[in-house]
Amino acid sequence: MSVFCEVPLAAPVAVFKLTQDFNNDPFPNKVNLGVGAYRTDEGKPWVLPVVKKVEKIIVHDDRLNHEYLPILGLAEFRSSSSKIVLGDDSPAIRENRVGGVQCLGGTGALKIGAEFLRRFYNGSNNTKTPVYVSSPTWENHNAVFSSAGFEDVRPYKYWDAERRGLDLSGFLGDLESCPEHSIFVLHACAHNPTGTDPTQEQWKQIAEVMMRRKLFAFFDSAYQGFASGNLEKDAWAVRYFVSKGVEMFCAQSFSKNFGLYNERVGNLTIVARDADNLKRVLSQMEKIVRTTWSNPPSQGARIVAVTLSSPELFSEWKDNVKTMADRVLLMRAQLKAKLQSLGTPGTWDHITDQIGMFSFTGLNPNQVEYMVKEKHVYLMASGRINMCGLTSKNIDYVAESIHEAVTKVQ
């Protein structure tokens, strides 16, 4: 008998199971709107032209080798990553109270931040500190904080299903009523899965309550530049919090905006009260990294660092990112127009009001099931679709399928 015979079989990760089902489907006109990655209008992955260029630069640079990086990662990558989210002129950077930890993607940045907060925030090894994640949120948020040892992961109100927009009063109400020193995981831009972000004025209200109630802001920034096509606009909320003197973490992912999905390129930006606090925080981060992955990989970090450090390459990268963002915006406009021309019941303004890779369609689970089983259009059970899965060739079929699901299925 195996020593592992009592290990229960875990449920598959939903988004990867969806892709597997799609791949196994022989239907010729099937459409995958589940996967969280950019696709061209031909439905193909896109290696950014600037990435191809930088990869060649790296290959021909004889100074480079495969020695270990520092435990906290490639210095140029860490500093340029923090600069891009906080801004070149950030007072926090000038005051030497910003540090970075190179991590394995945005998930790794969330994980290292969560492990640190569990050990050192709100007392020592306080597993009872409430961690609030938006309702709904990216499913990994709950799991990352739970696996880091936090015992009280709670939802905060975010999505107003009836109005198909932000439930600001509910959000502010939860900020007012939660225990002091609670941790709030905030989506910097392009909220996943709803695509609905607070306005700048709403962010100011959120920041005011969080500061007054002594709540900790942990931003997750996975789509900077990808959401609106503008790096500064997509980082506005993070920069506003920093401008108010808030100590905070920001998990950054370069999977989407560099197309480096399998290189696992992430950074945890730490904004501390002063340089002394930062030094102590980073010293403990180093201990956590040492027992987690010990040392980070270099390839993806080098690609990002070289790109962000060269004005010419940086400009080219911004153009590449805008190409992706503009295609998403075009697909949003076209899908909304097609649904309206079909006379599909309900309002569809939310498709263009939302931003980023994902749209929260408002389809209910029965309608989603109809889409998958009858129309071979694969999307998450929540009704979330990846706008990049839409192309000029399949958008009519998808719009007609949504129309059919809404009119036939309650």
Side-chain angles (χ1 to χ4, degrees):
M1 182 181 287
S2 170
V3 295
F4 303 119
C5 64
E6 293 187 13
V7 175
L9 183 68
V13 177
V15 69
F16 290 99
K17 173 69 164 57
L18 195 73
T19 299
Q20 186 180 359
D21 291 345
F22 169 81
N23 290 337
N24 292 337
D25 186 346
F27 187 71
N29 296 325
K30 63 185 178 179
V31 180
N32 186 359
L33 301 180
V35 65
Y38 180 78
R39 294 290 181 265
T40 65
D41 194 50
E42 290 71 44
K44 303 292 185 187
W46 192 44
V47 180
L48 274 59
V50 74
V51 167
K52 286 184 177 179
K53 187 180 287 188
V54 173
E55 284 176 328
K56 288 175 183 171
I57 292 170
I58 290 170
V59 165
H60 293 106
D61 189 342
D62 292 334
R63 297 168 301 170
L64 299 178
N65 53 48
H66 294 289
E67 292 296 298
Y68 288 120
L69 296 180
I71 292 173
L72 292 181
L74 191 68
E76 314 92 271
F77 167 77
R78 293 161 55 206
S79 61
S80 58
S81 297
S82 295
K83 255 186 208 166
I84 202 171
V85 72
L86 301 184
D88 283 338
D89 57 349
S90 171
I93 292 176
R94 283 201 308 271
E95 292 158 12
N96 296 314
R97 54 189 184 88
V98 173
V101 180
Q102 183 186 335
C103 296
L104 303 191
T107 305
L110 288 164
K111 175 69 171 172
I112 295 299
E115 291 286 347
F116 175 88
L117 292 172
R118 203 277 326 293
R119 288 165 169 78
F120 298 107
Y121 175 72
N122 196 23
S124 179
N125 202 33
N126 188 351
T127 61
K128 307 292 185 187
T129 302
V131 177
Y132 283 80
V133 300
S134 65
S135 176
T137 193
W138 180 51
E139 71 277 358
N140 232 8
H141 281 154
N142 292 277
V144 166
F145 283 87
S146 296
S147 70
F150 285 99
E151 298 171 20
D152 190 3
V153 181
R154 310 178 184 182
Y156 62 85
K157 295 181 188 71
Y158 192 86
W159 174 250
D160 183 333
E162 192 174 323
R163 287 177 43 252
R164 296 187 182 180
L166 179 68
D167 179 6
L168 181 66
S169 62
F171 188 170
L172 293 173
D174 285 344
L175 290 172
E176 292 283 9
S177 63
C178 71
E180 281 195 348
H181 306 296
S182 293
I183 297 163
F184 272 73
V185 180
L186 305 170
H187 300 232
C189 66
H191 182 273
N192 179 4
T194 70
T196 297
D197 292 346
T199 65
Q200 292 184 3
E201 287 306 310
Q202 289 168 339
W203 272 122
K204 289 178 181 178
Q205 294 179 63
I206 292 161
E208 187 277 320
V209 180
M210 290 190 71
M211 291 170 66
R212 174 164 47 79
R213 303 262 1 271
K214 302 180 177 65
L215 307 175
F216 187 84
F218 195 150
F219 277 97
D220 186 358
S221 177
Y223 302 96
Q224 188 183 354
F226 194 102
S228 68
N230 184 296
L231 292 168
E232 280 64 45
K233 187 177 178 183
D234 291 350
W236 190 91
V238 176
R239 294 178 187 183
Y240 180 76
F241 272 69
V242 174
S243 76
K244 306 307 284 184
V246 173
E247 288 186 285
M248 47 164 270
F249 288 173
C250 180
Q252 297 169 263
S253 167
F254 293 96
S255 295
K256 309 292 192 301
N257 56 14
F258 266 84
L260 294 171
Y261 303 96
N262 66 12
E263 294 289 355
R264 310 312 299 137
V265 192
N267 185 62
L268 177 63
T269 287
I270 298 120
V271 181
R273 179 74 62 215
D274 51 45
D276 177 62
N277 275 290
L278 177 68
K279 183 178 179 182
R280 287 183 286 105
V281 168
L282 288 175
S283 74
Q284 293 295 342
M285 294 277 189
E286 193 170 70
K287 299 287 186 191
I288 295 168
V289 170
R290 178 66 175 149
T291 59
T292 308
W293 52 70
S294 183
N295 203 270
S298 71
Q299 177 70 1
R302 283 199 204 284
I303 292 169
V304 172
V306 170
T307 304
L308 299 184
S309 302
S310 156
E312 182 188 337
L313 294 169
F314 180 60
S315 178
E316 186 177 341
W317 172 64
K318 285 197 291 185
D319 288 343
N320 290 175
V321 172
K322 192 167 187 316
T323 295
M324 294 189 286
D326 285 351
R327 186 176 117 64
V328 172
L329 292 169
L330 179 65
M331 289 298 102
R332 285 187 180 280
Q334 289 187 1
L335 180 61
K336 173 185 162 182
K338 288 179 188 298
L339 289 170
Q340 288 177 335
S341 69
L342 287 167
T344 309
T347 174
W348 299 98
D349 289 338
H350 59 284
I351 291 178
T352 49
D353 291 341
Q354 294 167 3
I355 195 169
M357 181 177 282
F358 300 114
S359 179
F360 219 46
T361 58
L363 295 176
N364 66 41
N366 292 336
Q367 291 164 342
V368 169
E369 185 180 18
Y370 181 87
M371 292 276 287
V372 174
K373 290 189 174 174
E374 301 299 326
K375 308 307 292 184
H376 306 267
V377 177
Y378 289 79
L379 65 158
M380 299 296 286
S382 63
R384 186 197 85 172
I385 63 172
N386 177 4
M387 298 306 297
C388 305
L390 295 173
T391 69
S392 54
K393 295 183 184 71
N394 68 27
I395 194 165
D396 285 324
Y397 178 71
V398 170
E400 288 157 9
S401 299
I402 292 173
H403 178 80
E404 201 173 300
V406 171
T407 52
K408 282 188 174 181
V409 182
Q410 296 306 309

